[in-house]
């Protein structure tokens, strides 16, 4: 790099700006901000809901499904009977229609049966999601999951 101090054949003033100090200052500021920003950022305090494990109240007309699967295969068990997706839809529609016909015009939302799904922890989501979708297609409005509380925890009601 050469430095021109002016003079010489040209008597015109030098109009080039030396940007080296500007780049040095910008790099120093960048380093300062990279170090200072994580220190300044504060987290927002949140109060997350506490999970209360309440025993489910089962009605005889509720549907209990167990879903397992691995790889490309999914297995849905209605009660103690393995069913295919088509059979699941047909049985769901038949059961719901039977309950509605039996209760007639005096049906309330509490009378409509619910679907309780037990899913294995290693089951792919598509298997459980498929069972949920099929039962919702059959007309069930309430679809829930049965889980096991952690060992040593009791029922907490607030």
């Amino acid at each position: 790099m050469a430095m021109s101090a002016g003079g010489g054949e040209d008597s015109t003033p030098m109009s080039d700006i030396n940007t080296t100090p500007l780049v040095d200052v910008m790099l120093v500021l960048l380093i300062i901000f990279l170090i200072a920003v994580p220190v300044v950022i504060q987290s927002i305090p949140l109060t997350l809901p506490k999970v209360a494990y309440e025993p489910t109240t089962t009605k005889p007309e509720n549907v209990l499904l167990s879903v397992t699967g691995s790889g490309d295969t999914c297995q849905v068990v209605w009660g103690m009977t393995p069913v295919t997706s088509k059979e699941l839809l047909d049985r769901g529609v038949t059961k719901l229609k039977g309950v509605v016909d039996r209760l007639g015009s005096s049906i309330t939302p509490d009378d409509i049966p619910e679907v309780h799904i037990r899913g294995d922890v290693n089951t792919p989501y598509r298997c459980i999601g498929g069972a949920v979708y099929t039962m919702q297609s059959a007309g069930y409005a309430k679809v829930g999951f049965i889980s096991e509380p952690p060992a040593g925890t009791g029922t907490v009601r607030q």
Side-chain angles (χ1 to χ4, degrees):
M1 294 192 164
M3 185 173 145
S4 173
E9 297 177 10
D10 268 350
S11 61
T12 59
M14 185 174 85
S15 62
D16 295 334
I17 298 175
N18 187 4
T19 58
T20 305
L22 176 66
V23 171
D24 290 343
V25 169
M26 295 306 283
L27 286 174
V28 168
L29 287 175
L30 177 68
I31 292 171
I32 289 173
F33 283 122
L34 285 175
I35 293 171
V37 167
V39 174
V40 175
I41 293 178
Q42 297 178 1
S43 61
I44 298 171
L46 294 177
T47 304
L48 297 176
K50 301 204 183 323
V51 178
Y53 296 102
E54 296 182 14
T56 57
T57 55
T58 58
K59 299 180 278 188
E61 59 269 4
N62 286 350
V63 177
L64 180 61
L65 299 178
S66 298
V67 182
T68 59
S70 62
D72 292 339
T73 60
C74 298
Q75 183 179 12
V76 179
V77 179
W78 180 307
M80 297 300 286
T81 309
V83 292
T84 64
S85 182
K86 174 87 171 102
E87 292 171 342
L88 181 63
L89 181 63
D90 293 342
R91 286 182 77 169
V93 168
T94 304
K95 181 166 178 96
L96 190 59
K97 188 172 185 179
V99 170
V100 170
D101 289 345
R102 181 174 44 93
L103 294 174
S105 62
S106 64
I107 193 167
T108 64
D110 292 334
D111 295 332
I112 296 176
E114 302 172 3
V115 179
H116 296 166
I117 298 177
R118 293 178 189 265
D120 183 35
V121 78
N122 296 321
T123 302
Y125 175 75
R126 64 179 176 76
C127 296
I128 295 174
V132 170
Y133 177 77
T134 302
M135 294 310 286
Q136 286 178 338
S137 298
Y140 289 88
K142 294 181 181 178
V143 179
F145 297 99
I146 304 295
S147 62
E148 185 176 339
T153 60
T155 302
V156 178
R157 296 184 186 209
Q158 297 181 5

